[in-house]
Amino acid sequence: MDVDPDTTAIVVVDMQNDFCHPDGALYAPGSEDAIEPISSLVERGRAAGTEIAFTRDVHPEGQFEDAYYMNEFERWGKHVLEGSWGAEIVDGLAVEPGDLVIEKRTYDAFYGTDFETVLEDRGVTDLLFVGTLANVCVLHTAGSAGLRDFKPVLVSDALGYLEADHRRYALEHAEWVFGETTTRAAVEFL
């Protein structure tokens, strides 16, 4: 897959301690396993001049107190609390000056953020998605990107997950409904 670094961003979704570190509140071993594959793709992308965007799922302590239906703390327990170690990007994935960092409050990094505007201002049209969890935040953000007329591509061997079936579902759903999939080895920066 040929990738134009001038119009592409690598979107690193929620690679945070609570998801990727064994001491994290919602640790998923598949997420820890994705750190090195993501790091290697990000480094190749940086060398080619590709935009790098990190999303961070961050919840204020009282975010869901008045929730009618959607209360992530009831569903998943408290996680990625604002200002906590769990909300920080995991060691092994360094945010560098010039990288985008988008803080989000739910599964979709476009919802309630300026992510779309920032990408458009930088001339980005194509998005390579890596990160965690494949069937939750990666899938919802990539689907939302497609609805906004970005080209979303999930990088299959750089996705974290709780169970292998979850990753498989996300990839099949993306291909069937809104996007494409590829592998790290198939990504060729022009």
Side-chain angles (χ1 to χ4, degrees):
M1 160 176 256
D2 290 340
V3 174
D4 181 350
D6 293 333
T7 59
T8 301
I10 298 172
V11 182
V12 181
V13 178
D14 298 356
M15 291 298 290
Q16 296 163 265
N17 288 322
D18 267 353
F19 307 125
C20 302
H21 191 280
D23 295 331
L26 287 174
Y27 173 61
S31 298
E32 184 178 21
D33 294 343
I35 295 169
E36 190 285 321
I38 292 169
S39 178
S40 68
L41 182 63
V42 165
E43 291 309 311
R44 286 179 47 222
R46 275 198 182 108
T50 301
E51 294 282 351
I52 309 297
F54 288 86
T55 71
R56 288 181 60 230
D57 196 26
V58 179
H59 300 300
E61 182 77 36
Q63 178 179 346
F64 302 108
E65 287 176 1
D66 296 325
Y68 167 70
Y69 175 73
M70 186 57 201
N71 184 331
E72 287 187 35
F73 289 169
E74 282 184 7
R75 183 174 298 270
W76 306 106
K78 288 189 177 181
H79 60 286
V80 292
L81 290 172
E82 190 170 47
S84 72
W85 167 86
E88 296 304 316
I89 301 292
V90 71
D91 288 345
L93 294 172
V95 177
E96 294 189 2
D99 291 348
L100 298 171
V101 179
I102 303 296
E103 288 193 0
K104 62 189 186 64
R105 302 280 188 251
T106 190
Y107 307 136
D108 175 4
F110 289 95
Y111 181 79
T113 72
D114 63 352
F115 197 22
E116 179 176 10
T117 302
V118 172
L119 291 172
E120 288 173 346
D121 288 349
R122 293 182 180 211
V124 172
T125 56
D126 300 342
L127 302 173
L128 295 176
F129 282 93
V130 299
T132 203
L133 289 168
N135 64 321
V136 184
C137 294
V138 173
L139 186 62
H140 284 277
T141 300
S144 188
L147 294 174
R148 288 169 166 77
D149 204 30
F150 292 98
K151 177 184 174 185
V153 180
L154 276 63
V155 183
S156 63
D157 54 351
L159 297 175
Y161 51 89
L162 284 168
E163 298 176 18
D165 284 347
H166 295 167
R167 178 174 58 179
R168 193 168 17 264
Y169 166 80
L171 294 168
E172 289 172 358
H173 186 79
E175 284 186 336
W176 187 55
V177 177
F178 63 80
E180 298 177 26
T181 65
T182 192
T183 63
R184 287 177 300 135
V187 172
E188 294 289 336
F189 295 99
L190 302 174

